[in-house]
Amino acid sequence: MGMLIEGRWHDDADRSMQDGAYRRETSALPDQIDSQLISQLRDSPGRYVLVASASCPWSHGAVLAHLFKGFAPALAIHWAGGPRVEGYALKPEGPLAPLGWLHMHQLYTATDPAYTGRSTVPALWDAEANQIVSNESAAIMRAFDEAGTGPRLFPDALEKELSAFLPWLFEGLSNAVYRAGKAQRQDEYEEATASVYATLEALEVRLTDRPYLFGEALTAPDLRLFATLVRYDTVYATHFRCTRYRLVDFPALWRFTRRLFQMPGVAETMDFDEIRRGYYLNDGAHNPFGLVGDQPKIDWWDRTGLS
């Protein structure tokens, strides 16, 4: 996978695999965004850039918060993607193009010349200070929520419930699909997929009698869940071998995912070709010949049961 070690890129370095099990690494960058910076997101249009990849569900959560909180065009998005040579590549077009950089890791070494760790997305870039202010998707989503317009994604009245629910969703599903897909031991794979299926079943029950996870209003966990479910049949039930179920096997989850997909602007955040390439082509250990699986036939615009 590759990573930076003391500011230098190493293709063969990877600390996320431990004894055949995938363990997501904690970033060395700050995981909080202070109130002064949050106010600048609102008051300093053009200063900050969201760097995101269309293949990455963590990026997708931040992009959806950017959409629902009304940040276009005041806060631009620069896309990263394509073949991962030295990690994520920066697309040649976009607000960071004048920097002339080719790789995401160059943003990290501009921030900290001795940075050690993976150069992940999303990242919130300060174009005035020439540094990443956060690469923690949850912090970026919260900052957009506080600085943007429209209904709150993290409503104060639900803070305690959200604080418990989001880690449960992460451990049980959003990260568990990665543990399954990257597992190098059968027992690790089986433990991860058991978590995935149990969480899907619990979510199916929860969404049977309500449109969103916390009732009638859309909140941040809905965006997190959508970013995983919309990728499920395309890459998690296939490339990551979470094969027991398809999304359509869960009527409430299928209805939930279509409801969000059909909201204004959401379909435009999707690039299934980039998603498939991002997973299949960048996982040499489990796909040594670099074959890209077909896109499943899914009617995201089906309105059955949505009214």
Side-chain angles (χ1 to χ4, degrees):
M1 183 177 295
M3 60 182 286
L4 289 166
I5 299 177
E6 295 183 355
R8 299 190 65 179
W9 183 262
H10 293 259
D11 279 320
D12 56 352
D14 183 1
R15 300 191 304 200
S16 63
M17 295 305 301
Q18 301 174 18
D19 189 27
Y22 175 72
R23 297 294 181 262
R24 192 174 296 274
E25 188 177 354
T26 301
S27 174
L29 294 180
D31 61 0
Q32 300 294 324
I33 299 177
D34 64 36
S35 57
Q36 180 179 357
L37 194 152
I38 289 171
S39 67
Q40 290 172 345
L41 294 178
R42 181 178 56 248
D43 301 334
S44 303
R47 175 171 176 174
Y48 295 96
V49 176
L50 175 63
V51 188
S53 169
S55 68
C56 168
W58 318 109
S59 285
H60 200 185
V63 169
L64 291 169
H66 177 277
L67 169 69
F68 281 102
K69 298 303 292 189
F71 272 100
L75 194 153
I77 298 176
H78 191 107
W79 293 100
R84 291 187 200 165
V85 179
E86 299 186 23
Y88 282 100
L90 295 171
K91 297 284 189 178
E93 308 86 13
L96 300 185
L99 295 173
W101 292 338
L102 302 176
H103 307 291
M104 186 71 196
H105 70 71
Q106 291 172 288
L107 302 182
Y108 280 76
T109 52
T111 303
D112 177 1
Y115 186 82
T116 293
R118 295 176 56 218
S119 53
T120 59
V121 289
L124 187 61
W125 176 257
D126 183 342
E128 184 175 301
N130 269 354
Q131 64 180 17
I132 296 171
V133 295
S134 179
N135 67 343
E136 171 53 57
S137 60
I140 294 171
M141 291 178 71
R142 281 186 176 273
F144 287 166
D145 187 37
E146 291 186 32
T149 59
R152 291 292 302 273
L153 298 173
F154 296 88
D156 293 339
L158 291 175
E159 182 60 36
K160 185 176 180 179
E161 293 174 82
L162 298 187
S163 295
F165 186 89
L166 284 167
W168 175 82
L169 182 64
F170 172 85
E171 295 294 343
L173 179 62
S174 305
N175 192 56
V177 292
Y178 278 80
R179 289 179 50 217
K182 294 179 177 292
Q184 297 172 356
R185 301 195 325 255
Q186 188 69 29
D187 64 323
E188 172 67 13
Y189 163 75
E190 291 176 359
E191 180 185 336
T193 54
S195 175
V196 168
Y197 305 143
T199 305
L200 288 173
E201 289 162 358
L203 290 165
E204 174 71 9
V205 172
R206 186 182 183 101
L207 285 166
T208 295
D209 61 353
R210 64 183 77 183
Y212 303 112
L213 288 166
F214 286 86
E216 297 296 321
L218 183 79
T219 60
D222 295 303
L223 304 186
R224 286 290 202 199
L225 177 58
F226 172 79
T228 296
L229 294 183
V230 79
R231 288 163 172 76
Y232 192 86
D233 286 1
T234 297
V235 286
Y236 301 147
T238 53
H239 182 54
F240 275 4
R241 299 185 298 279
C242 296
T243 49
R244 186 177 301 174
Y245 299 112
R246 299 172 302 158
L247 181 59
V248 293
D249 293 327
F250 297 95
L253 294 179
W254 172 228
R255 183 174 60 246
F256 166 87
T257 310
R258 283 180 291 127
R259 177 178 285 115
L260 266 73
F261 187 94
Q262 294 177 29
M263 287 182 169
V266 172
E268 286 71 31
T269 69
M270 299 300 310
D271 185 338
F272 286 107
D273 289 339
E274 183 71 21
I275 289 170
R276 286 160 45 242
R277 289 192 297 262
Y279 283 84
Y280 281 98
L281 294 181
N282 297 295
D283 190 3
H286 291 138
N287 189 23
F289 297 104
L291 301 178
V292 178
D294 288 334
Q295 172 66 16
K297 288 188 175 181
I298 305 172
D299 184 4
W300 293 109
W301 297 104
D302 176 8
R303 293 199 55 79
T304 304
L306 296 189
S307 57

